[in-house]
Amino acid sequence: MPLPHPPEKLPPPDLSESHFSNPRSLLISMKTVKRFRALAAAVLAMATAGPAGVQAKDVSVPFDTYPEWPAEVTDTFRQMLVQEGGRVKPVHTYARFMLMQFSGRSKVTFESKDGQSHNAEAVAWLLDTLFRPQLSADLPIFVVDDSEAVSRIGVEPKEKRDRYSYNDLLPGRSKLAELTAEYARKKQQYDDSEKNPQYELDRIEGMVLVLGQNVSNFEYLMSQFGFARKGEALTHESVLPAELKELAKRLDMTEMLDKMPEMTVNQLVQAVQAPAAPDDDQAMLKSAMQLFFFHASSGRGFSIFPPPAKETEEWMSIGDVMLTGLEKKDMRPWAIERMNEVKALVEAGTKDGATFSAALKKFADDHHAEADGRGRGEGDRSEMEVKLYQGNYFTNSLAWFVLAFVLLAVSWLAPGSAFSKYLTWGVVGCLVIGLFYNVYGITLRCLIRHRPPITNLYDTVIFITGTGVLLALILERMTRIGVGLFVGTVAGVIGMFLSIKYEAKEATDTMGQLVAVLDTNFWLATHVTIINIGYAAGILSAILGAVYLVGRISGLRKGDRDFYRVLNRMNYGVICFCLFFSLVGTVLGGIWANYSWGRFWGWDPKENGALMICLWTLVILHGRMGGYLREIGINVNAVLLGVIVTFSWWGVNNLGVGLHSYGFTDGVWKWLLISWAICGAVMFCGLPLWLRERADRQEKQNAAPSGRKKPKPGGSAAQPA
């Protein structure tokens, strides 16, 4: 019989509830199903105020040595499939972004008591968290940027910015839960009040809120397979009464599931809410049900089990499996089989590496075959995705762009020499290699997702960077004055650095499911790609304008008017290129809007941003044609074009209004304002240049022979008498 839709999932960790110090009453005093579920989530997140853990210093850990996982174990585990955010992905991706969310990095660095330094990758860390939770609790994974945040929860701080383990924070867990709930309510008020400054979180409050959420999520990861440990290493054991702790050591959850009557989650809740049982047998049954619910609610979130029904898209965690088996007796053999698989894995994890490797390999092979048998193509390119992240293509791209910049800077020490010429060829080679890594990484992302190159803000960064470097190389091939190489290295370094920082800051899957409005490959391949080529040209034009203005104001290549004329013509061509792609992209966007929303134009902020780019490039080109803008004016306005492009690219997404406000990025306004201030300073360089040129023209006019007449418009100067 095919599996129906799984029962309603328990809610995610809810830190909005107050801290409960009486675990027994927490399990039995709920009055409604909704209240019970919310409190159960709060219990798992908050009630861990146990004895203080060992305080770590720097990145040291309290255990003597770190038993590293065999390579075959990590290689097998990274290829396993898990569903998150509606997408089936390899565990490698899940672990990488989960650790980045906690730590800002994809590795855990620490030193054990034996003096050995360890650099555990995200997959090894997740293995520790699932199968060696007591060890994982001592790993320094929580980054805190200001020690005031940990002082506020009553934990002794280390350095100003440092990393803490779960056990380091355990003494302040109760206070952390309390403050997290308070700040979460305050943040909700801020959002509901249309960002009233009265409710805005300050810097420390924001850190405490993020830390509380991260700690809660980590607790759920450690608890995934708690049912299989039979009372050993229970992450949330402090919420259980003493008799339930003892019962957990004796009770087998699979045997219990086989004997329990068929019931829904609501009926299970009602059973544990019932008054105290009159006899020992009923009391034991009620305690067993409480323990079953405890393990089911703890084991949610890590969805590694494909549902048997092919039409069901949502995968299941072990907690979902337990509740599904509880609800339908005919599904219990399937549920018990899944639970026994996990039990076998957990037991093998306590033995030698070869035993665990064999058990994990069997588990992974069985579940890959189960996913393939569904015929939905789930995880069909997981190996390619692992290759993408293990290859570090975008990091390598940044490295080559940095090397190109270094070689270019060294070449300036001996301009015109043979040494400089060879270095220049080296710069070209480094740029080409860096561009190759960029394009190869983008291509892999397209193949993995079956999508065009741009589907989110992260994609725009790596795509615009690659496009900018390619255009710069083409410009250098056409002009051979060295500016193309300089602009290419600057664009490459800044763009790839921004992409890496953005990924670390957001710490979310950059290949996630698309929002409904973007779920169309045709318009993503046409409108989105073309408009981003226009963005790249606008940014490139701004950099060229900055080179022109700063170069002239600093006296670089003073007197070489031909150099600056070529540079100006180069920028003019880039502006024309920007206008063409921006205009075509904007028109295509209007057609897409008419197809999706029933109107071609709606004065949406994103639409207005695209229109501003088109209008400003037209202003520059018409100003040049009419003689109102000369070299200085063109380049000043090119820098302003860069401001408009960055506003359309990033700013309008953060306004929080309009149909395009789907790419909000916290903290982006600060960096936009800084970049615009720099652009303003560069534009100001045009004023003294313009005054100097005007003075030079006036001086030449004054020095001209008195008998020479001024040329007539459209004609030549009259000959002196």
Side-chain angles (χ1 to χ4, degrees):
M1 175 180 177
L3 179 69
H5 286 288
E8 179 184 354
K9 283 198 173 186
L10 296 172
D14 182 5
L15 295 174
S16 63
E17 300 291 336
S18 59
H19 181 70
F20 289 87
S21 58
N22 188 341
R24 184 193 301 270
S25 64
L26 178 61
L27 289 172
I28 62 176
S29 63
M30 279 66 75
K31 296 182 179 180
T32 63
V33 172
K34 181 178 179 181
R35 182 68 169 172
F36 185 87
R37 293 180 181 176
L39 293 180
V43 164
L44 298 180
M46 304 177 192
T48 51
V54 179
Q55 286 291 337
K57 294 182 180 180
D58 298 326
V59 292
S60 61
V61 291
F63 44 81
D64 294 330
T65 186
Y66 175 71
E68 296 186 357
W69 295 98
E72 57 269 21
V73 170
T74 54
D75 289 342
T76 299
F77 189 59
R78 78 173 76 254
Q79 296 286 354
M80 282 179 54
L81 300 178
V82 59
Q83 188 184 66
E84 184 195 32
R87 188 172 81 90
V88 177
K89 64 189 75 173
V91 164
H92 183 98
T93 302
Y94 177 90
R96 182 176 185 270
F97 285 105
M98 185 61 70
L99 183 57
M100 289 176 67
Q101 176 184 326
F102 297 157
S103 187
R105 303 168 58 189
S106 59
K107 293 184 179 181
V108 184
T109 303
F110 58 94
E111 182 178 310
S112 52
K113 279 188 174 181
D114 58 8
Q116 293 293 319
S117 296
H118 303 275
N119 202 17
E121 62 169 323
V123 170
W125 163 78
L126 186 57
L127 279 166
D128 289 333
T129 305
L130 294 174
F131 298 103
R132 303 190 299 207
Q134 289 176 312
L135 182 148
S136 183
D138 281 317
L139 297 180
I141 63 169
F142 298 106
V143 63
V144 179
D145 290 325
D146 195 317
S147 58
E148 173 63 23
V150 293
S151 297
R152 192 168 293 191
I153 65 173
V155 172
E156 182 179 349
K158 296 192 269 188
E159 300 295 330
K160 178 72 172 177
R161 185 183 189 275
D162 217 323
R163 299 179 188 277
Y164 296 79
S165 70
Y166 176 78
N167 283 338
D168 290 336
L169 301 172
L170 200 54
R173 187 64 184 93
S174 175
K175 184 64 174 179
L176 177 61
E178 178 185 334
L179 291 179
T180 302
E182 176 186 342
Y183 298 155
R185 287 192 296 269
K186 186 176 178 181
K187 185 177 185 299
Q188 188 62 47
Q189 288 177 308
Y190 178 71
D191 294 337
D192 293 342
S193 64
E194 297 183 353
K195 300 185 178 180
N196 186 335
Q198 175 185 353
Y199 302 113
E200 186 174 7
L201 296 177
D202 63 30
R203 179 169 170 268
I204 301 301
E205 290 174 342
M207 289 182 188
V208 172
L209 177 59
V210 171
L211 181 62
Q213 293 169 339
N214 287 341
V215 167
S216 179
N217 289 333
F218 179 69
E219 288 171 346
Y220 277 99
L221 271 181
M222 288 195 296
S223 304
Q224 286 299 306
F225 303 147
F227 82 95
R229 297 192 179 97
K230 296 194 70 171
E232 297 180 5
L234 286 177
T235 307
H236 304 291
E237 62 179 0
S238 60
V239 308
L240 294 177
E243 61 268 25
L244 286 189
K245 294 180 185 178
E246 289 300 317
L247 182 62
K249 298 177 182 179
R250 305 190 308 270
L251 191 62
D252 189 307
M253 288 292 107
T254 56
E255 294 179 1
M256 178 182 171
L257 176 61
D258 193 34
K259 297 176 181 178
M260 287 179 70
E262 185 178 280
M263 62 175 65
T264 64
V265 177
N266 292 347
Q267 290 170 333
L268 176 62
V269 171
Q270 293 171 5
V272 298
Q273 289 184 47
D279 56 64
D280 292 341
D281 289 341
Q282 292 183 2
M284 176 65 71
L285 178 60
K286 180 177 178 179
S287 296
M289 288 182 176
Q290 290 177 345
L291 194 61
F292 184 90
F293 182 81
F294 172 82
H295 284 306
S297 58
S298 298
R300 57 198 171 86
F302 189 56
S303 301
I304 57 173
F305 296 101
K310 294 182 179 180
E311 63 271 16
T312 304
E313 295 184 4
E314 191 171 7
W315 285 32
M316 296 181 178
S317 64
I318 192 62
D320 301 324
V321 169
M322 294 170 68
L323 294 175
T324 299
L326 178 68
E327 190 174 53
K328 294 288 185 180
K329 273 194 172 183
D330 54 2
M331 294 307 304
R332 288 190 181 177
W334 174 83
I336 290 174
E337 183 182 356
R338 302 285 85 79
M339 294 172 68
N340 284 331
E341 288 175 347
V342 172
K343 286 172 61 179
L345 266 184
V346 171
E347 183 179 354
T350 63
K351 299 179 181 179
D352 60 276
T355 301
F356 182 68
S357 177
L360 185 64
K361 183 72 164 60
K362 182 179 184 305
F363 183 90
D365 290 344
D366 290 346
H367 284 76
H368 269 289
E370 191 174 349
D372 292 341
R374 286 164 53 80
R376 301 177 63 94
E378 296 167 317
D380 58 343
R381 302 199 174 180
S382 59
E383 292 185 8
M384 187 181 296
E385 187 167 343
V386 171
K387 176 184 177 182
L388 169 68
Y389 287 117
Q390 285 188 315
N392 292 317
Y393 298 108
F394 300 120
T395 302
N396 289 331
S397 178
L398 173 62
W400 282 102
F401 288 147
V402 170
L403 179 59
F405 184 83
V406 171
L407 292 179
L408 184 62
V410 173
S411 72
W412 295 337
L413 299 177
S417 65
F419 173 73
S420 176
K421 181 179 179 180
Y422 293 139
L423 284 180
T424 300
W425 281 109
V427 173
V428 173
C430 290
L431 285 176
V432 171
I433 295 173
L435 181 61
F436 170 79
Y437 275 115
N438 174 278
V439 173
Y440 190 71
I442 292 174
T443 303
L444 285 181
R445 290 172 62 87
C446 293
L447 295 175
I448 292 166
R449 296 175 296 178
H450 307 277
R451 295 287 188 184
I454 302 174
T455 62
N456 53 51
L457 277 174
Y458 174 79
D459 287 333
T460 67
V461 179
I462 55 178
F463 180 84
I464 287 175
T465 300
T467 303
V469 173
L470 177 61
L471 291 176
L473 286 171
I474 294 173
L475 289 176
E476 182 61 28
R477 178 67 179 83
M478 296 171 62
T479 61
R480 297 180 181 273
I481 62 174
V483 173
L485 296 182
F486 174 73
V487 171
T489 58
V490 170
V493 170
I494 294 177
M496 296 315 300
F497 179 77
L498 176 61
S499 72
I500 293 171
K501 294 295 291 183
Y502 177 83
E503 183 185 51
K505 183 181 183 302
E506 293 298 301
T508 55
D509 186 3
T510 58
M511 293 189 287
Q513 293 289 91
L514 293 180
V515 295
V517 71
L518 295 179
D519 194 7
T520 164
N521 279 359
F522 175 78
W523 293 112
L524 288 173
T526 53
H527 160 68
V528 176
T529 301
I530 291 173
I531 203 75
N532 276 273
I533 293 175
Y535 285 170
I539 297 295
L540 186 65
S541 174
I543 298 176
L544 290 172
V547 171
Y548 179 95
L549 296 171
V550 174
R552 285 198 59 184
I553 199 69
S554 63
L556 183 66
R557 302 191 70 156
K558 188 176 181 180
D560 190 352
R561 293 293 300 159
D562 289 339
F563 172 82
Y564 288 104
R565 288 193 182 98
V566 172
L567 179 55
N568 183 67
R569 288 198 297 269
M570 185 190 306
N571 204 353
Y572 172 75
V574 172
I575 293 171
C576 294
F577 185 89
C578 175
L579 172 62
F580 175 78
F581 280 89
S582 298
L583 185 59
V584 173
T586 302
V587 172
L588 289 174
I591 298 173
W592 185 10
N594 186 62
Y595 176 78
S596 298
W597 300 323
R599 91 290 187 281
F600 181 85
W601 193 265
W603 300 105
D604 185 87
K606 195 74 171 181
E607 297 169 351
N608 293 339
L611 178 62
M612 288 168 60
I613 296 174
C614 296
L615 292 178
W616 197 249
T617 51
L618 285 171
V619 166
I620 297 174
L621 298 182
H622 280 78
R624 179 183 181 275
M625 293 175 62
Y628 298 102
L629 294 178
R630 298 179 183 273
E631 289 188 11
I632 296 173
I634 289 173
N635 288 280
V636 167
N637 283 277
V639 177
L640 183 56
L641 174 62
V643 173
I644 295 173
V645 169
T646 53
F647 173 75
S648 180
W649 180 11
W650 291 91
V652 298
N653 295 58
N654 278 53
L655 293 177
V657 295
L659 295 171
H660 293 83
S661 58
Y662 46 77
F664 182 84
T665 306
D666 188 35
V668 75
W669 280 116
K670 170 187 173 183
W671 295 107
L672 281 177
L673 292 174
I674 290 175
S675 67
W676 294 343
I678 295 173
C679 289
V682 172
M683 291 169 62
F684 184 77
C685 294
L687 179 60
L689 290 176
W690 177 74
L691 293 174
R692 185 190 306 168
E693 282 200 352
R694 189 178 70 168
D696 290 343
R697 288 196 301 270
Q698 187 64 40
E699 183 178 350
K700 288 180 180 179
Q701 289 178 0
N702 294 336
S706 57
R708 183 179 298 273
K709 295 183 180 179
K710 294 183 180 180
K712 296 180 180 179
S716 59
Q719 296 297 322

